[in-house]
Amino acid sequence: MNNPIGIFDSGVGGLTVFDAIRRSLPSQDIIYFGDTARVPYGSKSKNTIIQYSLQNASFLIQQNIKLLIVACNTSSAYALDELKKDFDIPIIGVIESGAKKAIKVTKNNKIGIIGTEGTIKSGAYEKVIKKLNENCSTFSKPTPLLVPFVEEDWIKHSVTKQVLEEYLKDLINYDIDTLILGCTHYPVLKDVIKEIIGSKIILIDSAESLASEVLENYPFKNSKNMKGKYQFFVSDNPEKFKILGKSILNLNLEDVNMVYFTEGWVKKI
Ligand code: DGL
């Protein structure tokens, strides 16, 4: 099947998932939708997230995708079941693969989770972790200031480091040996986070865990002679998306298109 893989996120952060997928499946075409007009999702209610996620999925499914990846942790936490009920193609979110990976690597069964207010409030990571291994203890912390720092391209800024130190100190005191980066934006801050937590705590990047899961579970072939084509759609500010894309992935994002919303997302003519 040569149809593309569809990925959506609330904005630019899901490019970390796009990057992990394109690296593990370089011959697959990918269509990415970033809801840059309505980001952030992390502070919005469950009902709103479900509505937004259904609209985003519907747009990608109209582009004939063969698999939908919900890159946004907040959407995965609140809307994955609704999406699976409403649409008839394979759909995967980031939470289960991140949780599974954490259980696999933890040695002392103490797992920390950072994410948006929505993701942490939903308890989605905890539920999956407890279901798979009831001996694991979880320690979670909403870290809402991190998304704006990444969106501002303040990745190496001293203020970002200071805020991270404040956020992470409780988790470090709980003696966690594994930390789940439960938000699409956080892998971008991996280096700073590592500086703070040191090498004893293992970081789980949900983007990478998800890419491994896709590779294991779907029969998509990689062919040396084919390079996947990438298309991007955003609901606002394609120029800013390109700039952040360059900063996050060091990649020139060429085919970035604007969509506007009427009864669904429509390509701008
Ligand atoms: N994409 C969101 C997530 O992974 C983070 C950004 C937002 O709050 O929209 O939860």
Side-chain angles (χ1 to χ4, degrees):
M1 250 212 299
N2 295 328
N3 301 38
I5 294 173
I7 301 177
F8 83 79
D9 181 46
S10 57
V12 77
L15 286 176
T16 54
V17 176
F18 161 79
D19 196 38
I21 296 287
R22 100 185 154 98
R23 281 173 197 282
S24 58
L25 290 164
S27 29
Q28 294 293 316
D29 294 347
I30 303 174
I31 300 185
Y32 180 98
F33 175 72
D35 194 3
T36 47
R38 303 190 293 197
V39 68
Y41 280 16
S43 50
K44 296 196 169 71
S45 70
K46 179 176 179 178
N47 279 343
T48 300
I49 298 303
I50 291 175
Q51 288 318 312
Y52 287 1
S53 303
L54 290 171
Q55 291 159 357
N56 302 344
S58 165
F59 171 73
L60 285 170
I61 286 165
Q62 281 163 30
Q63 318 303 312
N64 290 321
I65 55 168
K66 61 185 165 196
L67 165 72
L68 175 65
I69 296 177
V70 182
C72 178
N73 284 258
T74 315
S75 288
S76 299
Y78 280 146
L80 200 65
D81 292 343
E82 297 293 328
L83 291 167
K84 285 183 175 169
K85 256 191 256 158
D86 273 38
F87 299 107
D88 202 14
I89 65 164
I91 302 178
I92 56 170
V94 268
I95 296 203
E96 198 159 314
S97 45
K100 277 187 196 155
K101 183 76 195 285
I103 289 173
K104 220 184 209 175
V105 302
T106 182
K107 294 213 165 61
N108 71 1
N109 284 343
K110 291 183 182 172
I111 300 172
I113 305 151
I114 53 173
T116 65
E117 275 173 60
T119 300
I120 297 303
K121 206 162 119 197
S122 76
Y125 274 104
E126 288 85 342
K127 277 179 217 150
V128 180
I129 290 170
K130 285 278 174 211
K131 200 168 91 189
L132 297 173
N133 182 348
E134 58 182 24
N135 297 323
C136 277
S137 312
T138 51
F139 305 90
S140 52
K141 177 112 188 154
T143 49
L145 290 173
L146 302 182
V147 168
F149 287 146
V150 174
E151 298 272 339
E152 272 309 302
D153 211 359
W154 276 24
I155 292 156
K156 298 204 169 93
H157 201 293
S158 58
V159 170
T160 308
K161 186 167 184 196
Q162 247 175 299
V163 169
L164 267 165
E165 278 166 347
E166 190 60 35
Y167 275 149
L168 295 174
K169 74 176 181 227
D170 293 344
L171 295 177
I172 296 170
N173 287 339
Y174 285 128
D175 191 30
I176 59 165
D177 73 350
T178 306
L179 176 63
I180 298 178
L181 303 178
C183 173
T184 48
H185 287 61
Y186 302 173
V188 178
L189 300 169
K190 240 190 224 171
D191 289 344
V192 197
I193 296 176
K194 274 187 194 156
E195 264 175 50
I196 298 166
I197 62 174
S199 56
K200 284 198 194 115
I201 300 177
I202 296 170
L203 283 187
I204 304 296
D205 176 342
S206 346
E208 278 169 13
S209 330
L210 181 114
S212 318
E213 193 171 321
V214 171
L215 201 59
E216 270 166 39
N217 294 325
Y218 295 90
F220 302 148
K221 294 211 173 57
N222 273 324
S223 136
K224 272 191 194 144
N225 308 322
M226 268 172 61
K227 203 189 150 322
K229 290 190 286 303
Y230 308 132
Q231 231 186 332
F232 301 88
F233 293 94
V234 291
S235 49
D236 198 12
N237 215 335
E239 287 315 312
K240 187 173 177 198
F241 185 82
K242 281 186 193 172
I243 294 167
L244 283 170
K246 175 86 185 154
S247 160
I248 292 173
L249 302 183
N250 197 21
L251 198 73
N252 291 318
L253 306 179
E254 274 145 27
D255 196 359
V256 182
N257 307 275
M258 170 92 185
V259 292
Y260 61 96
F261 195 80
T262 52
E263 277 167 26
W265 291 112
V266 179
K267 287 183 218 175
K268 190 157 192 160
I269 303 156

